[in-house]
Amino acid sequence: MPARAALCGLTGALCVALAVPATAAGPPQAAPAEAAPAATGTPLRDDTGLYPRAVRLEHNGAADGRVLASVVTFDGDNGVGAIHESTDSGAAFREVGRVAGPDSAAGQGLCCATLFELPRQVGALRAGTLLWTSSAGQSEQEGRMALRIWRSDDVGRT
């Protein structure tokens, strides 16, 4: 036991020695913060765009390399998923598809969407199938939402 106590004492002293600055000039000074780079680019859309998600296609043959981005937006009181595509590594996007359903219409809510490309076949869904999912269907009476999953076999067009 005395060896263990000595080791613990030595370890504790080493930790204290490392934590205390070697000079009496005061605490170490942090390096001056560099200014963060300014955001650049072009917004996907001019109106609401919530829950942005992006994927670079890797399992869609001739479409590989395209960047798809999705956002939740609104058409009047209806929640809509907007799918945007870039063929120039994200320099510019254009809307190519929309996801809408009765569970997100008439103000029932559309929330927390995401976009995913299947890397391999899953059941009957081929590799490259796009999945867009969201929580939808909240009503004031019931207050319940359900997860909805939409599938696209044509790079987000439908």
Side-chain angles (χ1 to χ4, degrees), residues 111-146:
C111 176
C112 316
T114 197
L115 180 65
F116 184 73
E117 178 189 28
L118 289 179
R120 63 180 179 271
Q121 183 170 340
V122 177
L125 303 176
R126 68 169 180 78
T129 299
L130 294 176
L131 301 176
W132 188 84
T133 186
S134 70
S135 300
Q138 180 178 1
S139 67
E140 290 184 26
Q141 294 81 21
E142 295 181 20
R144 297 182 186 154
M145 296 185 91

Short mmCIF file of all heavy atoms in Angstrom, two decimals, residues 111-146:
data_model
loop_
_atom_site.label_atom_id
_atom_site.label_comp_id
_atom_site.label_asym_id
_atom_site.label_seq_id
_atom_site.Cartn_x
_atom_site.Cartn_y
_atom_site.Cartn_z
N CYS A 111 -43.45 18.89 -39.99
CA CYS A 111 -42.30 19.20 -39.16
C CYS A 111 -41.16 18.21 -39.38
O CYS A 111 -41.39 17.06 -39.72
CB CYS A 111 -42.74 19.12 -37.69
SG CYS A 111 -41.41 19.36 -36.51
N CYS A 112 -39.96 18.72 -39.15
CA CYS A 112 -38.79 17.89 -38.89
C CYS A 112 -38.45 16.92 -40.01
O CYS A 112 -38.14 15.75 -39.77
CB CYS A 112 -38.99 17.12 -37.58
SG CYS A 112 -39.67 18.15 -36.26
N ALA A 113 -38.47 17.36 -41.23
CA ALA A 113 -38.25 16.51 -42.39
C ALA A 113 -36.78 16.17 -42.57
O ALA A 113 -35.90 16.89 -42.12
CB ALA A 113 -38.78 17.18 -43.64
N THR A 114 -36.52 15.07 -43.28
CA THR A 114 -35.16 14.70 -43.64
C THR A 114 -35.17 13.99 -44.99
O THR A 114 -36.21 13.52 -45.44
CB THR A 114 -34.48 13.85 -42.54
OG1 THR A 114 -33.08 13.86 -42.76
CG2 THR A 114 -35.00 12.44 -42.49
N LEU A 115 -34.01 13.93 -45.62
CA LEU A 115 -33.84 13.36 -46.96
C LEU A 115 -32.73 12.32 -46.90
O LEU A 115 -31.71 12.55 -46.27
CB LEU A 115 -33.47 14.49 -47.92
CG LEU A 115 -33.23 14.14 -49.39
CD1 LEU A 115 -34.51 13.65 -50.05
CD2 LEU A 115 -32.71 15.38 -50.12
N PHE A 116 -32.93 11.18 -47.57
CA PHE A 116 -31.96 10.09 -47.51
C PHE A 116 -31.95 9.33 -48.83
O PHE A 116 -33.00 9.09 -49.41
CB PHE A 116 -32.34 9.14 -46.36
CG PHE A 116 -31.37 8.03 -46.13
CD1 PHE A 116 -30.14 8.26 -45.55
CD2 PHE A 116 -31.69 6.74 -46.50
CE1 PHE A 116 -29.24 7.22 -45.33
CE2 PHE A 116 -30.80 5.70 -46.29
CZ PHE A 116 -29.58 5.94 -45.70
N GLU A 117 -30.76 8.94 -49.28
CA GLU A 117 -30.61 8.11 -50.46
C GLU A 117 -30.21 6.71 -50.00
O GLU A 117 -29.22 6.56 -49.27
CB GLU A 117 -29.53 8.66 -51.39
CG GLU A 117 -29.31 7.78 -52.61
CD GLU A 117 -28.09 8.20 -53.43
OE1 GLU A 117 -27.14 8.77 -52.85
OE2 GLU A 117 -28.09 7.92 -54.64
N LEU A 118 -30.96 5.69 -50.40
CA LEU A 118 -30.61 4.32 -50.01
C LEU A 118 -29.30 3.92 -50.67
O LEU A 118 -29.17 3.98 -51.89
CB LEU A 118 -31.70 3.33 -50.43
CG LEU A 118 -33.01 3.39 -49.67
CD1 LEU A 118 -33.99 2.36 -50.23
CD2 LEU A 118 -32.80 3.18 -48.19
N PRO A 119 -28.30 3.48 -49.88
CA PRO A 119 -27.02 3.09 -50.46
C PRO A 119 -27.04 1.71 -51.09
O PRO A 119 -26.16 1.36 -51.86
CB PRO A 119 -26.07 3.13 -49.26
CG PRO A 119 -26.95 2.91 -48.08
CD PRO A 119 -28.28 3.51 -48.43
N ARG A 120 -28.05 0.92 -50.75
CA ARG A 120 -28.19 -0.43 -51.33
C ARG A 120 -29.66 -0.80 -51.33
O ARG A 120 -30.49 -0.13 -50.71
CB ARG A 120 -27.37 -1.44 -50.53
CG ARG A 120 -27.81 -1.60 -49.11
CD ARG A 120 -26.95 -2.63 -48.38
NE ARG A 120 -27.36 -2.77 -47.02
CZ ARG A 120 -26.91 -2.05 -46.00
NH1 ARG A 120 -26.00 -1.14 -46.21
NH2 ARG A 120 -27.35 -2.25 -44.78
N GLN A 121 -29.98 -1.87 -52.02
CA GLN A 121 -31.37 -2.31 -52.10
C GLN A 121 -31.87 -2.71 -50.72
O GLN A 121 -31.16 -3.36 -49.95
CB GLN A 121 -31.50 -3.50 -53.05
CG GLN A 121 -32.94 -3.96 -53.20
CD GLN A 121 -33.12 -4.98 -54.31
OE1 GLN A 121 -32.28 -5.09 -55.20
NE2 GLN A 121 -34.21 -5.72 -54.25
N VAL A 122 -33.10 -2.30 -50.40
CA VAL A 122 -33.76 -2.66 -49.16
C VAL A 122 -35.13 -3.19 -49.54
O VAL A 122 -35.98 -2.43 -50.01
CB VAL A 122 -33.89 -1.47 -48.19
CG1 VAL A 122 -34.66 -1.87 -46.94
CG2 VAL A 122 -32.53 -0.90 -47.83
N GLY A 123 -35.33 -4.50 -49.41
CA GLY A 123 -36.59 -5.10 -49.85
C GLY A 123 -36.79 -4.85 -51.33
O GLY A 123 -35.90 -5.11 -52.14
N ALA A 124 -37.93 -4.28 -51.68
CA ALA A 124 -38.22 -3.98 -53.08
C ALA A 124 -37.67 -2.62 -53.52
O ALA A 124 -37.77 -2.28 -54.70
CB ALA A 124 -39.73 -4.02 -53.31
N LEU A 125 -37.10 -1.85 -52.60
CA LEU A 125 -36.57 -0.52 -52.94
C LEU A 125 -35.13 -0.65 -53.42
O LEU A 125 -34.28 -1.17 -52.71
CB LEU A 125 -36.63 0.40 -51.72
CG LEU A 125 -38.01 0.60 -51.09
CD1 LEU A 125 -37.89 1.46 -49.84
CD2 LEU A 125 -38.97 1.21 -52.09
N ARG A 126 -34.85 -0.17 -54.62
CA ARG A 126 -33.51 -0.30 -55.21
C ARG A 126 -32.53 0.68 -54.57
O ARG A 126 -32.94 1.70 -53.99
CB ARG A 126 -33.58 -0.07 -56.71
CG ARG A 126 -33.91 1.36 -57.09
CD ARG A 126 -33.72 1.67 -58.57
NE ARG A 126 -34.03 3.04 -58.87
CZ ARG A 126 -33.25 4.08 -58.61
NH1 ARG A 126 -32.09 3.92 -58.05
NH2 ARG A 126 -33.62 5.31 -58.92
N ALA A 127 -31.26 0.39 -54.70
CA ALA A 127 -30.24 1.35 -54.30
C ALA A 127 -30.46 2.63 -55.07
O ALA A 127 -30.80 2.60 -56.26
CB ALA A 127 -28.85 0.79 -54.58
N GLY A 128 -30.30 3.77 -54.43
CA GLY A 128 -30.53 5.06 -55.07
C GLY A 128 -31.93 5.61 -54.86
O GLY A 128 -32.18 6.78 -55.19
N THR A 129 -32.84 4.81 -54.30
CA THR A 129 -34.18 5.32 -54.00
C THR A 129 -34.04 6.46 -52.99
O THR A 129 -33.29 6.35 -52.02
CB THR A 129 -35.07 4.21 -53.41
OG1 THR A 129 -35.21 3.17 -54.37
CG2 THR A 129 -36.45 4.73 -53.03
N LEU A 130 -34.73 7.55 -53.23
CA LEU A 130 -34.73 8.66 -52.29
C LEU A 130 -35.91 8.51 -51.33
O LEU A 130 -37.02 8.18 -51.75
CB LEU A 130 -34.87 10.00 -53.01
CG LEU A 130 -33.72 10.39 -53.90
CD1 LEU A 130 -34.04 11.68 -54.64
CD2 LEU A 130 -32.44 10.54 -53.10
N LEU A 131 -35.64 8.76 -50.06
CA LEU A 131 -36.69 8.75 -49.05
C LEU A 131 -36.75 10.13 -48.43
O LEU A 131 -35.71 10.71 -48.06
CB LEU A 131 -36.41 7.71 -47.97
CG LEU A 131 -36.28 6.27 -48.44
CD1 LEU A 131 -35.91 5.37 -47.27
CD2 LEU A 131 -37.56 5.79 -49.10
N TRP A 132 -37.93 10.69 -48.32
CA TRP A 132 -38.15 11.96 -47.65
C TRP A 132 -39.18 11.68 -46.56
O TRP A 132 -40.25 11.11 -46.84
CB TRP A 132 -38.68 13.01 -48.63
CG TRP A 132 -38.76 14.39 -48.07
CD1 TRP A 132 -37.74 15.30 -48.01
CD2 TRP A 132 -39.89 15.03 -47.49
NE1 TRP A 132 -38.17 16.46 -47.43
CE2 TRP A 132 -39.49 16.32 -47.10
CE3 TRP A 132 -41.20 14.63 -47.26
CZ2 TRP A 132 -40.36 17.23 -46.49
CZ3 TRP A 132 -42.07 15.53 -46.65
CH2 TRP A 132 -41.65 16.82 -46.29
N THR A 133 -38.86 12.01 -45.34
CA THR A 133 -39.76 11.71 -44.24
C THR A 133 -39.99 12.94 -43.39
O THR A 133 -39.14 13.83 -43.32
CB THR A 133 -39.23 10.54 -43.39
OG1 THR A 133 -40.19 10.18 -42.42
CG2 THR A 133 -37.93 10.89 -42.72
N SER A 134 -41.16 12.98 -42.77
CA SER A 134 -41.50 14.11 -41.91
C SER A 134 -42.53 13.66 -40.88
O SER A 134 -43.12 12.59 -40.99
CB SER A 134 -42.10 15.26 -42.74
OG SER A 134 -43.38 14.89 -43.21
N SER A 135 -42.72 14.51 -39.89
CA SER A 135 -43.84 14.36 -38.96
C SER A 135 -44.96 15.20 -39.54
O SER A 135 -44.75 16.35 -39.92
CB SER A 135 -43.47 14.88 -37.57
OG SER A 135 -42.37 14.18 -37.06
N ALA A 136 -46.15 14.63 -39.61
CA ALA A 136 -47.26 15.35 -40.23
C ALA A 136 -48.56 15.01 -39.52
O ALA A 136 -48.69 13.96 -38.89
CB ALA A 136 -47.38 14.96 -41.71
N GLY A 137 -49.52 15.91 -39.64
CA GLY A 137 -50.88 15.62 -39.24
C GLY A 137 -51.32 16.05 -37.86
O GLY A 137 -52.27 15.52 -37.33
N GLN A 138 -50.68 17.02 -37.26
CA GLN A 138 -51.12 17.46 -35.94
C GLN A 138 -52.41 18.24 -36.08
O GLN A 138 -52.53 19.14 -36.89
CB GLN A 138 -50.07 18.34 -35.28
CG GLN A 138 -50.49 18.81 -33.91
CD GLN A 138 -49.41 19.64 -33.24
OE1 GLN A 138 -48.36 19.88 -33.80
NE2 GLN A 138 -49.68 20.07 -32.03
N SER A 139 -53.39 17.87 -35.30
CA SER A 139 -54.64 18.63 -35.26
C SER A 139 -54.80 19.15 -33.83
O SER A 139 -54.30 18.56 -32.88
CB SER A 139 -55.84 17.77 -35.65
OG SER A 139 -56.06 16.78 -34.67
N GLU A 140 -55.51 20.24 -33.69
CA GLU A 140 -55.68 20.81 -32.35
C GLU A 140 -56.50 19.91 -31.45
O GLU A 140 -56.29 19.88 -30.26
CB GLU A 140 -56.31 22.19 -32.46
CG GLU A 140 -55.37 23.21 -33.08
CD GLU A 140 -55.97 24.59 -33.09
OE1 GLU A 140 -56.83 24.88 -32.25
OE2 GLU A 140 -55.56 25.39 -33.94
N GLN A 141 -57.42 19.12 -32.00
CA GLN A 141 -58.26 18.26 -31.18
C GLN A 141 -57.47 17.07 -30.62
O GLN A 141 -57.57 16.75 -29.45
CB GLN A 141 -59.44 17.71 -32.00
CG GLN A 141 -60.44 18.76 -32.44
CD GLN A 141 -59.97 19.51 -33.68
OE1 GLN A 141 -59.14 19.05 -34.44
NE2 GLN A 141 -60.49 20.72 -33.86
N GLU A 142 -56.68 16.42 -31.46
CA GLU A 142 -55.99 15.22 -31.03
C GLU A 142 -54.53 15.46 -30.66
O GLU A 142 -53.99 14.76 -29.82
CB GLU A 142 -56.07 14.15 -32.12
CG GLU A 142 -57.49 13.69 -32.38
CD GLU A 142 -57.52 12.61 -33.44
OE1 GLU A 142 -56.50 11.97 -33.68
OE2 GLU A 142 -58.60 12.41 -34.02
N GLY A 143 -53.89 16.43 -31.27
CA GLY A 143 -52.52 16.76 -30.96
C GLY A 143 -51.52 15.67 -31.31
O GLY A 143 -50.45 15.61 -30.74
N ARG A 144 -51.85 14.77 -32.22
CA ARG A 144 -50.97 13.67 -32.59
C ARG A 144 -50.38 13.91 -33.96
O ARG A 144 -51.02 14.42 -34.85
CB ARG A 144 -51.74 12.36 -32.61
CG ARG A 144 -52.28 11.98 -31.27
CD ARG A 144 -52.98 10.65 -31.35
NE ARG A 144 -53.62 10.39 -30.07
CZ ARG A 144 -54.68 9.63 -29.91
NH1 ARG A 144 -55.20 9.04 -30.96
NH2 ARG A 144 -55.18 9.44 -28.73
N MET A 145 -49.15 13.47 -34.10
CA MET A 145 -48.51 13.52 -35.41
C MET A 145 -48.04 12.10 -35.74
O MET A 145 -47.84 11.28 -34.85
CB MET A 145 -47.33 14.48 -35.42
CG MET A 145 -47.75 15.92 -35.19
SD MET A 145 -46.40 17.07 -35.34
CE MET A 145 -46.53 17.47 -37.08
N ALA A 146 -47.85 11.85 -37.02
CA ALA A 146 -47.38 10.54 -37.47
C ALA A 146 -46.18 10.75 -38.38
O ALA A 146 -46.05 11.79 -39.03
CB ALA A 146 -48.48 9.81 -38.23
#
